[in-house]
Amino acid sequence: MARLSYYLLSAFAVLGVNAASSVLDLIPSNFDDVVLKSGKPALVEFFAPWCGHCKKLAPVYEELATNFDFAKDKVSIAKVDGDAEKDLGRRFGVQGFPTLKWFDGKSDTPTDYKGGRDLESLSTFISDKTGLRIKTKKAIPSAVEMLTDKSFKAEIGGDKDVLVAFTAPWCGHCKTLAPTWEQVATDYASEPNVLIAKIDAEAENSKATAQDQGVKSYPTIKYFPKGSTTPEPYEGGRSEQDILSFMNEKAGVHRTIGGKLDEIAGTIPNLDTIVSRLTGGESIASLSEQIATAATASKDKYAAYYIKVSDKLSQNAGYAEKELTRLQGLIKKGGLAPEKIDDLTSRSNILRRFKGQGPVGKEEL
């Protein structure tokens, strides 16, 4: 079996097939068959592994090949390691990296590609040459804020707690982090004073900031507290939960995976201490005045709700149970704006305290 796998991999290499990539890898033994004798046009990138511009182009070029994968019988998107295959580079006059050349499938003489190295420019070039049109899905707007040198200065030191990932387009660990970073940003989408951001450390409009921050490796993650321009390095884990736990503690918020609020959101510790005495046998009548005094002195958003629940319980001992059931029913019904769900969740958490519960379903000791 091991020998069979070896021969299969060797065959794939000769054919220019890379199981993990839509870009064809070309070497002297397959170049003419794939590019000059197939009758298909081909866009060929001559690159070098050490070339910074090549690394930056790599994810764009991969996406380009993936987008045209549906038409691989009509056009080839390929690359040559010009550092390893110097003879091929000399054969076609390559003098620097990356160099992109267009072979029309008819002539042995290519033309230089001189357009932009962004996905749109490359896609348009191939479409104009071949008449092929890629079908792209409408991109979902990113929840991650891409900062530039200018916007970084505007956001940092203001009224937001900001977590910034400094990345590079060619960085493998950055690509691994990307979906998690996007999910974390989505989790905090309803928190106006929390910002999950990125900086492309190699982009012309943001690399100065990366240099000023002393970024030397990728991804580098830094936390900027509200009101401060002095960062704190983030050295925790890179799972969604790890990052959420860090930011919840730093920003004083209560988001969970998926963006919902946890069982503490909305509650106020000193008021909960008073309310917890209900389970010790004290009556709501004896505690109402203390609740009102403490709530009036509090600046927390839901302090007044403690007073409301206390007053309602004085009139109806079953109010907390009944109201909690009603609010949970509204949440389960769905169709509510995120802000409304947050409000109902916070109120539900407070009602649970009046019922003698701590975190959902757990009795307080």
Side-chain angles (χ1 to χ4, degrees):
M1 178 62 77
R3 181 171 293 180
L4 176 60
S5 297
Y6 171 80
Y7 285 127
L8 285 173
L9 289 172
S10 298
F12 286 162
V14 171
L15 293 172
V17 175
N18 183 337
S21 174
S22 294
V23 180
L24 297 174
D25 287 307
L26 300 178
I27 54 179
S29 61
N30 70 354
F31 189 95
D32 285 7
D33 288 337
V34 173
V35 178
L36 303 180
K37 299 178 182 179
S38 66
K40 290 188 299 182
L43 182 66
V44 180
E45 175 202 4
F46 291 82
F47 73 98
W50 46 261
C51 164
H53 291 299
C54 301
K55 293 176 182 178
K56 188 172 183 179
L57 176 62
V60 177
Y61 203 65
E62 181 65 44
E63 187 174 355
L64 177 74
T66 300
N67 288 345
F68 279 98
D69 201 44
F70 76 97
K72 57 187 176 183
D73 59 332
K74 295 181 175 65
V75 65
S76 297
I77 311 295
K79 67 180 189 289
V80 173
D81 183 342
D83 201 37
E85 311 296 348
K86 292 182 173 62
D87 286 345
L88 279 177
R90 282 193 289 267
R91 179 180 173 187
F92 294 104
V94 174
Q95 297 181 337
F97 305 115
T99 292
L100 288 93
K101 290 183 178 285
W102 175 255
F103 294 81
D104 62 10
K106 301 173 184 178
S107 169
D108 291 355
T109 303
T111 56
D112 288 336
Y113 171 78
K114 298 180 180 179
R117 292 176 185 168
D118 58 283
L119 182 62
E120 183 178 358
S121 297
L122 288 162
S123 298
T124 299
F125 174 82
I126 293 177
S127 293
D128 289 346
K129 290 290 187 181
T130 63
L132 297 168
R133 294 289 183 268
I134 60 175
K135 296 179 180 179
T136 57
K137 296 180 180 179
K138 188 175 182 180
I140 299 174
S142 174
V144 177
E145 184 80 17
M146 289 299 299
L147 298 178
T148 63
D149 294 332
K150 182 178 180 180
S151 59
F152 178 85
K153 293 176 182 178
E155 293 289 0
I156 302 303
D159 59 358
K160 297 178 182 178
D161 288 281
V162 185
L163 191 64
V164 182
F166 294 83
T167 64
W170 49 263
C171 164
H173 291 301
C174 300
K175 294 175 185 177
T176 300
L177 176 65
T180 301
W181 205 249
E182 185 65 46
Q183 188 56 58
V184 170
T186 301
D187 292 339
Y188 285 114
S190 295
E191 294 290 348
N193 295 321
V194 173
L195 180 65
I196 307 300
K198 268 187 184 181
I199 285 181
D200 182 344
E202 295 192 345
E204 289 299 323
N205 65 353
S206 54
K207 65 181 181 181
T209 296
Q211 292 169 357
D212 290 343
Q213 291 295 321
V215 174
K216 299 184 184 300
S217 62
Y218 310 115
T220 291
I221 302 174
K222 295 191 177 191
Y223 164 68
F224 296 83
K226 61 169 64 76
S228 173
T229 58
T230 303
E232 172 185 330
Y234 175 78
E235 298 174 341
R238 291 180 183 173
S239 72
E240 183 179 357
Q241 186 57 63
D242 289 333
I243 300 169
L244 281 172
S245 297
F246 176 86
M247 281 303 286
N248 281 343
E249 179 182 354
K250 294 296 184 179
V253 292
H254 301 279
R255 293 293 163 182
T256 63
I257 290 177
K260 294 182 179 180
L261 291 175
D262 65 16
E263 68 275 7
I264 300 174
T267 62
I268 305 171
N270 67 320
L271 283 165
D272 290 342
T273 299
I274 299 172
V275 171
S276 67
R277 288 155 54 187
L278 288 171
T279 59
E282 292 190 52
S283 67
I284 188 65
S286 65
L287 296 175
S288 290
E289 186 175 344
Q290 294 180 52
I291 292 172
T293 300
T296 301
S298 175
K299 295 181 180 180
D300 285 271
K301 178 180 178 180
Y302 286 95
Y305 191 63
Y306 278 82
I307 297 175
K308 177 180 178 179
V309 175
S310 174
D311 291 343
K312 292 289 186 179
L313 281 173
S314 297
Q315 302 168 27
N316 179 1
Y319 172 77
E321 179 82 37
K322 185 177 180 180
E323 182 66 1
L324 179 59
T325 300
R326 186 182 76 84
L327 297 187
Q328 290 300 290
L330 290 174
I331 293 174
K332 290 179 180 178
K333 186 177 180 181
L336 301 173
E339 295 80 5
K340 186 62 177 178
I341 294 175
D342 286 351
D343 178 58
L344 296 181
T345 299
S346 297
R347 291 173 186 268
S348 295
N349 288 339
I350 294 169
L351 288 167
R352 290 190 182 94
R353 297 300 193 271
F354 277 92
K355 289 184 62 199
Q357 296 176 349
V360 182
K362 297 180 182 178
E363 296 297 323
E364 291 187 342
L365 296 177

